[in-house]
Amino acid sequence: MNDQLLEPEEHVLSTLEKDGSRRWIYPRLFQGKYWTRRRAVGYLLIIVFIALPHIKINSSPAFFLNIAKREFTIFGFKFLPTDTLLLAFFMISLFLSIFLLTALFGRVWCGWACPQTIYLEFVYRPIERLFCGTAGHGGKPHKSVPVIRRLMMYGAYLIISMVLAHTFLAYFVSVSELQRWVQQSPFTHPTGFLVMTATVVLMMFNFSFFREQLCTIACPYGRFQSVLLDRRSLIVSYDKQRGEPRGKISKQKTEETHGDCIDCGQCVRACPTGIDIRDGLQMECLHCTQCMDACDEIMVKVERPTGLVRYSCQDEIEGKPTKKLRPRVVIYPLLLLLSVSAFTVTLMNKKSFDVTVMRNYGNPFIVTDDDFVENNLQIKLVNRTDLPEEYQFELPEKTDVKMEIMGNTSLKARETKTIPLLVSAPRSSFVTGLREVELTIRSQKDSEERTVTCQLLGP
Ligand code: SF4
Ligand code: SF4
């Protein structure tokens, strides 16, 4: 039996060996100018990520995604489940910003600001290099590292993962709730303890095992880059015209017969996703600039101009004319302006409470002995303020409609309450079985009012 492995005809995935096993990537570090800048941005962002749930704006956390209550607080603005329009405009603005940013600056988010890149490159990898050295060739450098050092490294990973898990969860359960979880016994809040443990395990799995595969396999953003980028978007690119034909430096080869690439492979060794930037734009490229730093260092050593691998765009690299202005960089900002304006106007027009009229279950209406038609409605009230509030229900001054409120109309801070309401109108006032009634609801403290139209059903 032929036990030879079938080999793919071409390169399949940078994180796979030819036999399909995991190819571990231990990139070599090049501390060039881009690395220094990225590290400064990275540490600044880590401070921001940790601080955001602790900072208070209008007595609420700057960033709090309360999934249990379906209430999102972003920079002092509270979004409730009833804010579907606001949420829609917010999401449209967010997507348009991503489209615009990518069209202009390529995957700058991935390389400079994504928490996955930042924590991996500036927290976990430095720890790994501290305990295991700076081998940086791919393969498995851990093999030669004493077990005690590896254990210490994973111990450090665990501590960092616990800190990160707490930071991450603070965005969803609030800092005060998290403090309560930490101070009490796990048996007092087993769900909280399980959530925390699962988050730590996920962090450990991601940063010590899954790593670059999150970007190359799991994250959808890289897959969208081919449609989001155009030929004039800023990308990390290798200057083929200058670099080719590549070849090792030797006495026989002259600068006339060879390009500037000396085929040293350092750009590949530096790459955290294990690709070769000389193969052109690839989905796995995070635009982390490590190959730029690597190549610049080599160019300085061989006394050639730096920038063989540099920030550029496809047209420029191919020597074609480049125009900054193109349809998508005009259309995206215009659409963004529209959606941000719509978001702002909707937000400014928000009242201190929301009202939704709903119909009760069961019979749609009852005809009474005095020839009135009764409709059982439900008024859903949402108090958006941080204070308790009392609401008043009013019908227009001159009306033939009667109303009976079947519940308490005071709401606690941020409370949502459904209040049953019995509305009756003379049978003769119904046209083809329908009758509209205007209902005004007024908040007593704010003196704000909202008028809603209730559709009554009749015979
Ligand atoms: S090719 Fe260069 S920019 Fe792209 S991921 Fe690799 S090192 Fe980073
Ligand atoms: S680091 Fe520069 S010179 Fe070396 S292989 Fe890469 S592109 Fe060529």
Side-chain angles (χ1 to χ4, degrees):
M1 196 178 115
N2 185 358
D3 60 354
Q4 263 205 330
L5 285 170
L6 286 173
E7 285 192 5
E9 284 174 12
E10 55 186 32
H11 174 77
V12 180
L13 207 59
S14 57
T15 48
L16 284 186
E17 300 287 5
K18 282 181 179 171
D19 62 0
S21 60
R22 169 82 183 272
R23 177 172 172 248
W24 288 91
I25 293 167
Y26 295 95
R28 186 170 164 195
L29 177 63
F30 287 87
Q31 293 173 308
K33 65 178 179 196
Y34 290 102
W35 166 260
T36 314
R37 289 172 197 170
R38 277 179 66 227
R39 191 176 53 177
V41 173
Y43 286 143
L44 187 71
L45 284 174
I46 288 175
I47 294 171
V48 172
F49 293 154
I50 292 174
L52 265 182
H54 295 267
I55 298 171
K56 296 250 166 137
I57 301 175
N58 298 338
S59 72
S60 304
F63 217 92
F64 180 28
L65 309 175
N66 191 341
I67 291 173
K69 283 192 177 172
R70 293 183 295 152
E71 190 181 296
F72 299 161
T73 309
I74 299 168
F75 297 118
F77 293 112
K78 285 212 162 65
F79 298 97
L80 302 176
T82 42
D83 294 332
T84 38
L85 198 60
L86 271 178
L87 193 67
F89 286 134
F90 177 78
M91 293 310 288
I92 291 170
S93 307
L94 185 72
F95 281 115
L96 284 169
S97 310
I98 293 172
F99 294 170
L100 179 63
L101 194 75
T102 314
L104 289 172
F105 305 114
R107 290 176 70 177
V108 67
W109 163 261
C110 302
W112 290 73
C114 176
Q116 168 75 9
T117 308
I118 289 175
Y119 286 125
L120 181 59
E121 297 303 329
F122 304 115
V123 179
Y124 286 86
R125 255 206 257 273
I127 293 174
E128 182 174 67
R129 288 180 180 127
L130 179 73
F131 287 103
C132 301
T134 52
H137 288 268
K140 294 181 180 170
H142 284 187
K143 267 190 174 171
S144 56
V145 177
V147 175
I148 183 73
R149 289 182 81 92
R150 271 189 274 163
L151 283 177
M152 283 163 72
M153 180 185 77
Y154 286 118
Y157 280 1
L158 185 63
I159 294 168
I160 299 284
S161 298
M162 286 166 78
V163 173
L164 289 191
H166 282 78
T167 307
F168 178 69
L169 284 179
Y171 282 83
F172 299 94
V173 296
S174 86
V175 175
S176 50
E177 182 68 7
L178 209 57
Q179 276 170 351
R180 204 172 60 79
W181 285 8
V182 172
Q183 284 161 5
Q184 291 176 343
S185 152
F187 298 107
T188 320
H189 48 81
T191 316
F193 181 71
L194 277 177
V195 171
M196 181 59 73
T197 311
T199 315
V200 174
V201 170
L202 274 176
M203 293 276 175
M204 280 296 282
F205 170 77
N206 178 38
F207 288 113
S208 57
F209 174 79
F210 203 53
R211 296 192 156 193
E212 70 287 339
Q213 296 185 109
L214 188 89
C215 313
T216 58
I217 298 172
C219 178
Y221 183 52
R223 287 161 205 280
F224 286 129
Q225 78 168 5
S226 50
V227 282
L228 297 179
L229 294 175
D230 62 28
R231 297 187 56 81
R232 289 162 220 151
S233 305
L234 196 70
I235 53 169
V236 173
S237 35
Y238 163 70
D239 190 341
K240 258 194 181 135
Q241 303 203 22
R242 202 187 119 187
E244 301 294 316
R246 68 186 78 157
K248 304 267 181 226
I249 294 181
S250 72
K251 278 179 189 159
Q252 290 82 38
K253 291 171 184 170
T254 63
E255 282 187 20
E256 286 73 41
T257 55
H258 273 80
D260 279 353
C261 175
I262 60 164
D263 207 15
C264 63
Q266 296 299 354
C267 50
V268 183
R269 288 189 188 100
C271 181
T273 59
I275 59 168
D276 187 342
I277 191 66
R278 294 171 299 172
D279 294 340
L281 180 64
Q282 292 150 76
M283 190 206 74
E284 292 91 343
C285 179
L286 309 175
H287 290 193
C288 73
T289 69
Q290 263 294 274
C291 52
M292 287 164 53
D293 278 335
C295 192
D296 280 355
E297 196 175 304
I298 300 300
M299 288 296 111
V300 170
K301 279 187 189 150
V302 297
E303 295 176 350
R304 287 178 193 173
T306 56
L308 178 59
V309 182
R310 62 176 182 272
Y311 267 132
S312 182
C313 68
Q314 279 175 289
D315 275 352
E316 195 247 71
I317 262 326
E318 289 168 16
K320 294 179 184 165
T322 54
K323 274 194 298 177
K324 287 270 175 286
L325 213 60
R326 57 232 198 242
R328 68 176 73 195
V329 300
V330 177
I331 293 169
Y332 288 156
L334 285 178
L335 291 177
L336 186 61
L337 188 69
L338 272 180
S339 99
V340 170
S341 310
F343 177 84
T344 315
V345 170
T346 316
L347 191 66
M348 292 298 122
N349 285 327
K350 272 273 155 210
K351 302 261 190 220
S352 61
F353 63 98
D354 293 326
V355 184
T356 317
V357 182
M358 298 179 296
R359 190 157 286 285
N360 213 350
Y361 300 115
N363 266 352
F365 61 85
I366 297 169
V367 182
T368 59
D369 294 341
D370 54 356
D371 229 15
F372 266 66
V373 179
E374 277 183 355
N375 276 232
N376 264 310
L377 302 179
Q378 293 197 8
I379 306 297
K380 187 174 169 190
L381 276 181
V382 181
N383 178 8
R384 302 178 66 91
T385 67
D386 290 321
L387 295 169
E389 182 61 281
E390 176 83 33
Y391 298 91
Q392 228 176 344
F393 290 40
E394 288 169 12
L395 290 169
E397 264 183 28
K398 287 181 187 162
T399 182
D400 52 355
V401 178
K402 293 186 277 186
M403 166 181 79
E404 195 182 335
I405 304 163
M406 320 279 284
N408 188 347
T409 60
S410 42
L411 267 74
K412 292 184 214 138
R414 305 243 149 240
E415 195 189 2
T416 300
K417 192 189 256 184
T418 304
I419 301 160
L421 189 70
L422 192 67
V423 184
S424 43
R427 181 182 183 151
S428 55
S429 65
F430 283 77
V431 181
T432 59
L434 293 174
R435 160 84 200 257
E436 282 187 350
V437 173
E438 293 217 320
L439 176 68
T440 302
I441 296 157
R442 185 169 291 120
S443 64
Q444 292 202 326
K445 277 193 202 120
D446 293 335
S447 304
E448 272 192 9
E449 62 175 46
R450 297 194 65 151
T451 302
V452 287
T453 305
C454 311
Q455 186 82 257
L456 301 187
L457 299 178

Short mmCIF file of all heavy atoms in Angstrom, two decimals, residues 308-345:
data_model
loop_
_atom_site.label_atom_id
_atom_site.label_comp_id
_atom_site.label_asym_id
_atom_site.label_seq_id
_atom_site.Cartn_x
_atom_site.Cartn_y
_atom_site.Cartn_z
N LEU A 308 11.20 48.68 0.21
CA LEU A 308 10.91 47.64 -0.80
C LEU A 308 9.56 47.00 -0.47
O LEU A 308 8.77 46.69 -1.35
CB LEU A 308 12.04 46.59 -0.78
CG LEU A 308 11.88 45.41 -1.73
CD1 LEU A 308 11.77 45.87 -3.17
CD2 LEU A 308 13.06 44.43 -1.58
N VAL A 309 9.31 46.80 0.83
CA VAL A 309 7.97 46.44 1.29
C VAL A 309 7.46 47.67 2.03
O VAL A 309 8.10 48.13 2.97
CB VAL A 309 8.00 45.22 2.24
CG1 VAL A 309 6.58 44.85 2.65
CG2 VAL A 309 8.68 44.04 1.58
N ARG A 310 6.35 48.23 1.58
CA ARG A 310 5.93 49.51 2.16
C ARG A 310 4.41 49.67 2.06
O ARG A 310 3.73 48.89 1.40
CB ARG A 310 6.61 50.67 1.42
CG ARG A 310 6.23 50.75 -0.04
CD ARG A 310 6.84 51.99 -0.70
NE ARG A 310 6.45 52.08 -2.10
CZ ARG A 310 7.10 51.53 -3.11
NH1 ARG A 310 8.19 50.81 -2.88
NH2 ARG A 310 6.68 51.67 -4.36
N TYR A 311 3.93 50.72 2.73
CA TYR A 311 2.54 51.11 2.57
C TYR A 311 2.41 51.71 1.17
O TYR A 311 3.14 52.64 0.81
CB TYR A 311 2.17 52.20 3.58
CG TYR A 311 1.58 51.67 4.86
CD1 TYR A 311 2.03 52.12 6.10
CD2 TYR A 311 0.54 50.74 4.84
CE1 TYR A 311 1.48 51.66 7.27
CE2 TYR A 311 -0.02 50.27 6.02
CZ TYR A 311 0.46 50.73 7.23
OH TYR A 311 -0.11 50.27 8.40
N SER A 312 1.49 51.17 0.41
CA SER A 312 1.31 51.67 -0.94
C SER A 312 -0.09 51.27 -1.40
O SER A 312 -0.93 50.88 -0.59
CB SER A 312 2.38 51.07 -1.84
OG SER A 312 2.26 51.58 -3.14
N CYS A 313 -0.34 51.36 -2.71
CA CYS A 313 -1.60 50.83 -3.23
C CYS A 313 -1.27 50.05 -4.50
O CYS A 313 -0.18 50.20 -5.06
CB CYS A 313 -2.60 51.94 -3.49
SG CYS A 313 -2.15 53.03 -4.82
N GLN A 314 -2.20 49.22 -4.93
CA GLN A 314 -1.90 48.33 -6.05
C GLN A 314 -1.51 49.12 -7.31
O GLN A 314 -0.58 48.73 -8.01
CB GLN A 314 -3.10 47.43 -6.34
CG GLN A 314 -3.13 46.25 -5.37
CD GLN A 314 -4.39 45.42 -5.57
OE1 GLN A 314 -5.48 45.84 -5.25
NE2 GLN A 314 -4.21 44.25 -6.12
N ASP A 315 -2.21 50.20 -7.59
CA ASP A 315 -1.88 50.99 -8.79
C ASP A 315 -0.48 51.58 -8.70
O ASP A 315 0.29 51.52 -9.67
CB ASP A 315 -2.91 52.12 -8.97
CG ASP A 315 -4.14 51.62 -9.73
OD1 ASP A 315 -4.10 50.47 -10.22
OD2 ASP A 315 -5.13 52.37 -9.82
N GLU A 316 -0.16 52.13 -7.54
CA GLU A 316 1.16 52.76 -7.39
C GLU A 316 2.28 51.74 -7.55
O GLU A 316 3.28 51.98 -8.21
CB GLU A 316 1.24 53.45 -6.02
CG GLU A 316 2.37 54.42 -5.88
CD GLU A 316 3.43 53.99 -4.89
OE1 GLU A 316 4.18 53.03 -5.18
OE2 GLU A 316 3.54 54.63 -3.86
N ILE A 317 2.07 50.57 -6.96
CA ILE A 317 3.08 49.51 -7.00
C ILE A 317 3.29 49.03 -8.44
O ILE A 317 4.38 48.66 -8.83
CB ILE A 317 2.64 48.36 -6.06
CG1 ILE A 317 3.29 48.39 -4.71
CG2 ILE A 317 2.81 46.98 -6.63
CD1 ILE A 317 4.50 48.76 -4.27
N GLU A 318 2.23 49.09 -9.25
CA GLU A 318 2.35 48.65 -10.65
C GLU A 318 2.72 49.81 -11.57
O GLU A 318 2.68 49.68 -12.80
CB GLU A 318 1.03 48.01 -11.11
CG GLU A 318 0.80 46.66 -10.45
CD GLU A 318 -0.62 46.15 -10.66
OE1 GLU A 318 -1.32 46.67 -11.55
OE2 GLU A 318 -1.00 45.22 -9.93
N GLY A 319 3.03 50.95 -10.99
CA GLY A 319 3.48 52.10 -11.77
C GLY A 319 2.37 52.80 -12.53
O GLY A 319 2.62 53.57 -13.46
N LYS A 320 1.12 52.56 -12.13
CA LYS A 320 -0.01 53.22 -12.79
C LYS A 320 -0.33 54.52 -12.07
O LYS A 320 -0.01 54.66 -10.88
CB LYS A 320 -1.24 52.31 -12.78
CG LYS A 320 -1.05 51.06 -13.60
CD LYS A 320 -2.28 50.20 -13.53
CE LYS A 320 -2.05 48.90 -14.28
NZ LYS A 320 -3.03 47.87 -13.97
N PRO A 321 -0.99 55.46 -12.76
CA PRO A 321 -1.33 56.72 -12.07
C PRO A 321 -2.32 56.47 -10.93
O PRO A 321 -3.20 55.61 -11.05
CB PRO A 321 -1.98 57.58 -13.18
CG PRO A 321 -2.27 56.66 -14.30
CD PRO A 321 -1.43 55.43 -14.16
N THR A 322 -2.15 57.19 -9.85
CA THR A 322 -3.04 56.99 -8.70
C THR A 322 -3.85 58.26 -8.45
O THR A 322 -3.30 59.36 -8.44
CB THR A 322 -2.24 56.66 -7.43
OG1 THR A 322 -1.28 57.70 -7.25
CG2 THR A 322 -1.56 55.34 -7.52
N LYS A 323 -5.15 58.06 -8.27
CA LYS A 323 -6.02 59.20 -7.94
C LYS A 323 -6.59 58.93 -6.56
O LYS A 323 -7.09 57.84 -6.30
CB LYS A 323 -7.17 59.29 -8.94
CG LYS A 323 -6.83 60.06 -10.20
CD LYS A 323 -8.11 60.39 -10.96
CE LYS A 323 -8.79 59.09 -11.37
NZ LYS A 323 -10.05 59.23 -12.05
N LYS A 324 -6.49 59.92 -5.69
CA LYS A 324 -7.04 59.71 -4.35
C LYS A 324 -8.58 59.66 -4.41
O LYS A 324 -9.23 58.91 -3.73
CB LYS A 324 -6.61 60.85 -3.42
CG LYS A 324 -5.14 60.77 -3.02
CD LYS A 324 -4.94 59.96 -1.76
CE LYS A 324 -3.49 59.76 -1.40
NZ LYS A 324 -2.77 58.80 -2.22
N LEU A 325 -9.14 60.55 -5.28
CA LEU A 325 -10.60 60.65 -5.36
C LEU A 325 -11.17 59.58 -6.29
O LEU A 325 -10.72 59.43 -7.42
CB LEU A 325 -10.96 62.05 -5.90
CG LEU A 325 -12.25 62.64 -5.37
CD1 LEU A 325 -12.19 62.80 -3.86
CD2 LEU A 325 -12.50 63.99 -6.04
N ARG A 326 -12.08 58.79 -5.78
CA ARG A 326 -12.77 57.79 -6.59
C ARG A 326 -14.17 57.61 -6.04
O ARG A 326 -14.44 58.04 -4.90
CB ARG A 326 -11.98 56.49 -6.62
CG ARG A 326 -11.71 55.92 -5.26
CD ARG A 326 -10.24 55.62 -5.11
NE ARG A 326 -10.04 54.69 -4.01
CZ ARG A 326 -9.35 55.01 -2.93
NH1 ARG A 326 -8.81 56.21 -2.81
NH2 ARG A 326 -9.20 54.14 -1.96
N PRO A 327 -15.06 56.97 -6.82
CA PRO A 327 -16.48 56.98 -6.41
C PRO A 327 -16.71 56.55 -4.96
O PRO A 327 -17.43 57.22 -4.23
CB PRO A 327 -17.12 56.00 -7.39
CG PRO A 327 -16.25 56.03 -8.59
CD PRO A 327 -14.86 56.31 -8.11
N ARG A 328 -16.07 55.47 -4.52
CA ARG A 328 -16.44 54.97 -3.19
C ARG A 328 -15.99 55.90 -2.05
O ARG A 328 -16.64 55.93 -1.02
CB ARG A 328 -15.94 53.55 -2.97
CG ARG A 328 -14.46 53.36 -2.87
CD ARG A 328 -14.15 51.91 -2.55
NE ARG A 328 -14.37 51.03 -3.69
CZ ARG A 328 -14.46 49.70 -3.59
NH1 ARG A 328 -14.35 49.11 -2.44
NH2 ARG A 328 -14.63 48.96 -4.66
N VAL A 329 -14.92 56.68 -2.27
CA VAL A 329 -14.52 57.59 -1.17
C VAL A 329 -15.36 58.87 -1.18
O VAL A 329 -15.20 59.73 -0.33
CB VAL A 329 -13.01 57.91 -1.17
CG1 VAL A 329 -12.19 56.67 -1.01
CG2 VAL A 329 -12.59 58.70 -2.37
N VAL A 330 -16.23 59.02 -2.18
CA VAL A 330 -17.18 60.13 -2.18
C VAL A 330 -18.54 59.61 -1.67
O VAL A 330 -19.18 60.23 -0.82
CB VAL A 330 -17.33 60.73 -3.60
CG1 VAL A 330 -18.38 61.82 -3.61
CG2 VAL A 330 -15.99 61.26 -4.08
N ILE A 331 -18.94 58.46 -2.20
CA ILE A 331 -20.27 57.92 -1.86
C ILE A 331 -20.35 57.50 -0.38
O ILE A 331 -21.30 57.84 0.33
CB ILE A 331 -20.61 56.72 -2.78
CG1 ILE A 331 -20.78 57.24 -4.21
CG2 ILE A 331 -21.90 56.03 -2.34
CD1 ILE A 331 -20.85 56.18 -5.27
N TYR A 332 -19.33 56.80 0.11
CA TYR A 332 -19.37 56.36 1.52
C TYR A 332 -19.51 57.53 2.50
O TYR A 332 -20.38 57.51 3.37
CB TYR A 332 -18.12 55.55 1.88
CG TYR A 332 -18.06 54.16 1.28
CD1 TYR A 332 -16.84 53.52 1.10
CD2 TYR A 332 -19.21 53.47 0.91
CE1 TYR A 332 -16.75 52.24 0.56
CE2 TYR A 332 -19.14 52.20 0.36
CZ TYR A 332 -17.91 51.59 0.18
OH TYR A 332 -17.83 50.34 -0.36
N PRO A 333 -18.68 58.60 2.37
CA PRO A 333 -18.85 59.71 3.33
C PRO A 333 -20.22 60.37 3.23
O PRO A 333 -20.79 60.77 4.24
CB PRO A 333 -17.75 60.71 2.94
CG PRO A 333 -16.77 59.92 2.19
CD PRO A 333 -17.50 58.81 1.52
N LEU A 334 -20.77 60.47 1.98
CA LEU A 334 -22.09 61.08 1.84
C LEU A 334 -23.15 60.25 2.56
O LEU A 334 -23.97 60.77 3.30
CB LEU A 334 -22.45 61.22 0.36
CG LEU A 334 -21.73 62.35 -0.39
CD1 LEU A 334 -22.12 62.36 -1.86
CD2 LEU A 334 -22.04 63.71 0.24
N LEU A 335 -23.09 58.93 2.33
CA LEU A 335 -24.06 58.05 2.99
C LEU A 335 -23.87 58.09 4.51
O LEU A 335 -24.83 58.09 5.27
CB LEU A 335 -23.90 56.61 2.49
CG LEU A 335 -24.32 56.37 1.03
CD1 LEU A 335 -24.03 54.93 0.62
CD2 LEU A 335 -25.80 56.66 0.85
N LEU A 336 -22.59 58.16 4.92
CA LEU A 336 -22.29 58.21 6.35
C LEU A 336 -22.86 59.48 6.98
O LEU A 336 -23.46 59.44 8.06
CB LEU A 336 -20.77 58.14 6.55
CG LEU A 336 -20.27 58.03 7.97
CD1 LEU A 336 -20.79 56.78 8.64
CD2 LEU A 336 -18.74 58.03 8.02
N LEU A 337 -22.71 60.57 6.26
CA LEU A 337 -23.24 61.85 6.74
C LEU A 337 -24.76 61.75 6.90
O LEU A 337 -25.33 62.19 7.92
CB LEU A 337 -22.88 62.96 5.75
CG LEU A 337 -23.21 64.38 6.19
CD1 LEU A 337 -22.32 64.81 7.33
CD2 LEU A 337 -23.07 65.35 5.03
N LEU A 338 -25.41 61.14 5.91
CA LEU A 338 -26.87 60.98 5.97
C LEU A 338 -27.28 60.14 7.17
O LEU A 338 -28.18 60.52 7.93
CB LEU A 338 -27.36 60.28 4.70
CG LEU A 338 -27.69 61.16 3.51
CD1 LEU A 338 -28.15 60.29 2.34
CD2 LEU A 338 -28.80 62.13 3.88
N SER A 339 -26.61 59.01 7.34
CA SER A 339 -27.04 58.11 8.42
C SER A 339 -26.69 58.69 9.79
O SER A 339 -27.47 58.54 10.73
CB SER A 339 -26.48 56.70 8.20
OG SER A 339 -25.38 56.47 8.94
N VAL A 340 -25.55 59.39 9.92
CA VAL A 340 -25.23 60.03 11.21
C VAL A 340 -26.23 61.15 11.51
O VAL A 340 -26.66 61.32 12.65
CB VAL A 340 -23.76 60.56 11.21
CG1 VAL A 340 -23.49 61.42 12.42
CG2 VAL A 340 -22.78 59.40 11.18
N SER A 341 -26.62 61.91 10.46
CA SER A 341 -27.61 62.97 10.67
C SER A 341 -28.94 62.37 11.11
O SER A 341 -29.57 62.87 12.06
CB SER A 341 -27.85 63.77 9.39
OG SER A 341 -26.64 64.17 8.85
N ALA A 342 -29.35 61.28 10.45
CA ALA A 342 -30.62 60.64 10.82
C ALA A 342 -30.56 60.13 12.25
O ALA A 342 -31.51 60.28 13.03
CB ALA A 342 -30.90 59.48 9.86
N PHE A 343 -29.41 59.58 12.63
CA PHE A 343 -29.21 59.09 14.00
C PHE A 343 -29.33 60.25 15.00
O PHE A 343 -30.04 60.16 16.00
CB PHE A 343 -27.83 58.43 14.11
CG PHE A 343 -27.48 57.95 15.48
CD1 PHE A 343 -27.91 56.71 15.92
CD2 PHE A 343 -26.74 58.74 16.34
CE1 PHE A 343 -27.60 56.27 17.19
CE2 PHE A 343 -26.43 58.32 17.62
CZ PHE A 343 -26.85 57.07 18.04
N THR A 344 -28.64 61.36 14.68
CA THR A 344 -28.63 62.51 15.60
C THR A 344 -30.03 63.10 15.75
O THR A 344 -30.47 63.39 16.87
CB THR A 344 -27.65 63.60 15.08
OG1 THR A 344 -26.46 62.95 14.68
CG2 THR A 344 -27.34 64.63 16.11
N VAL A 345 -30.74 63.26 14.61
CA VAL A 345 -32.09 63.85 14.68
C VAL A 345 -33.02 62.94 15.50
O VAL A 345 -33.75 63.40 16.37
CB VAL A 345 -32.64 64.06 13.24
CG1 VAL A 345 -34.12 64.43 13.28
CG2 VAL A 345 -31.85 65.15 12.53
#
